[in-house]
Amino acid sequence: MKSIRLREGKERSLLRRHPWIFDGAIAKGGADAGETVRVEGHDGQFLGWAAFSPSSKIRARVWSFDETERIDASFFTARIAQAIKARGLFDIQSNGLRLIHGESDGLPGLVVDRYAGTLVAQFSSCGTERWKSVIVEALLAQTGLTRLYERSDASVRSLEGLPEATGWLAGAGDTGITLTEHDWKLSLDVAEGHKTGFYLDQRDSRRKFADYTRRLKFQRVLNCYCYTGGFTVAALAGGAAHVTSIDSSGPAIERAKENVALNGFDASRTTMLDADVNASLRRFLAEGKTFDAIVLDPPKFAPTVAHAERAARAYKDINRIALSILAPGGVLFTYSCSGGISADLFHKIVASAGIDAGVDAFITERLGGAPDHPMTVTFPEGEYLKGLVLLRK
């Protein structure tokens, strides 16, 4: 078994069971891409078993902190079974859910979503790539499904020295799927959509937005970065008279239109704009247009802390304008999915945006990902999705 030895003082994070080992923490040792290595402290003390990644800044990802555990096919079968069993503990009002959430489920670099009878997997690390065939076999065996589509096309693959890979790993056929979520139907294409095809992590937020719309009787709703219209459908289900939805992706806008029709809503209750959100917000501000409720769910502005300063300016700008065009008594659902932006920093950014807009608001709720996208006590980076609900005074 190959090993890596850490520099003195670099053991602390592993002793707290954090699974990442950065390149600068390693004093000596190495292995082939994805190969399992024994991780030792500077004094030779065992710390964990990890998958080695020669190209990545995260040079190794820990599979296990148990010295007696073997990293073999049985290990992956057991971890996958454990993750699937955990989903039975959560209240998931959908036939679309995340079965495996990377580090939170003890499988760093692996994401698996289930969309009705189809599995979609992302292998984003050298370790999961090396064990791909074993993982696929275990997933199919334990779910009883026969279709598994690979969406290993995230940019992080290049950081691992891995090429993009997409396509059927098991089964074949149409990649278009219609999910049930709460009382709605939502369509997607696992081959073409963002992530694995859909934003399952916003499931509970969509329900909450429908509830707010119903309770406070919002009439004019703005959904920014609407993607395929999940929040649009939620607003219409909540009784909104009209929803304006904006996204810079033409195909996403067309899918949003399909989802409105799929749920039986009149298209005249919607305006779908294939446009830049920032420019649209500025135009609404100049025109004096206001909305009773606004959703801001932008893409990842800061993938790492190094991008945080520039991202903070972008988040502040869109939140400043959104608060400016939000009617008194209206509600803003605002999010950051950037790993480089902490929940505390996001709060400060939104507060600063309110000050610049001359707007005060109550923070009525803090939101995160749905429970099938869990954060664990040892891996705070799992809290990538942060949301605030603001009620304008």
Side-chain angles (χ1 to χ4, degrees), residues 95-107:
N95 64 349
L97 70 157
R98 176 150 295 182
L99 292 182
I100 297 175
H101 191 53
E103 285 81 354
S104 295
D105 286 303
L107 292 166

Side-chain angles (χ1 to χ4, degrees), residues 104-290:
S104 295
D105 286 303
L107 292 166
L110 179 65
V111 164
V112 181
D113 289 334
R114 176 172 182 166
Y115 296 111
T118 300
L119 296 173
V120 184
Q122 284 186 340
F123 301 86
S124 60
S125 66
C126 289
T128 54
E129 182 71 18
R130 191 178 182 97
W131 289 95
K132 183 185 292 185
S133 61
V134 169
I135 290 169
V136 169
E137 184 178 348
L139 284 168
L140 295 172
Q142 295 191 44
T143 61
L145 300 181
T146 58
R147 290 180 11 127
L148 191 156
Y149 195 87
E150 180 176 12
R151 280 295 305 274
S152 300
D153 53 356
S155 59
V156 70
R157 288 267 298 188
S158 64
L159 301 178
E160 295 281 310
L162 299 171
E164 294 185 0
T166 60
W168 290 107
L169 293 178
D174 188 3
T175 55
I177 295 171
T178 299
L179 293 182
T180 58
E181 178 179 290
H182 308 302
D183 300 323
W184 319 319
K185 295 178 180 178
L186 297 167
S187 67
L188 63 128
D189 191 318
V190 299
E192 298 178 1
H194 295 174
K195 294 189 173 181
T196 63
F198 195 64
Y199 290 104
L200 293 171
D201 51 3
Q202 290 285 32
R203 181 191 314 112
D204 293 353
S205 282
R206 286 188 284 268
R207 166 57 78 186
K208 192 172 290 293
F209 190 68
D211 293 343
Y212 267 81
T213 302
R214 185 177 298 108
R215 180 169 59 84
L216 298 179
K217 297 180 170 54
F218 296 140
Q219 297 302 298
R220 300 157 297 156
V221 173
L222 175 62
N223 182 12
C224 298
Y225 310 98
C226 70
Y227 188 43
T228 56
F231 279 102
T232 300
V233 169
L236 293 169
H242 193 273
V243 184
T244 300
S245 305
I246 311 173
D247 200 282
S248 59
S249 167
I253 287 291
E254 291 305 312
R255 179 74 64 174
K257 292 177 182 177
E258 291 177 21
N259 283 330
V260 168
L262 189 61
N263 288 277
F265 298 121
D266 191 335
S268 67
R269 293 171 63 191
T270 67
T271 297
M272 299 284 183
L273 299 177
D274 178 358
D276 177 75
V277 168
N278 198 291
S280 299
L281 288 172
R282 293 179 187 280
R283 177 166 57 83
F284 294 150
L285 181 62
E287 293 172 350
K289 198 166 186 177
T290 61

Side-chain angles (χ1 to χ4, degrees), residues 9 25 247 304 363:
D247 200 282
T304 67
I363 295 177

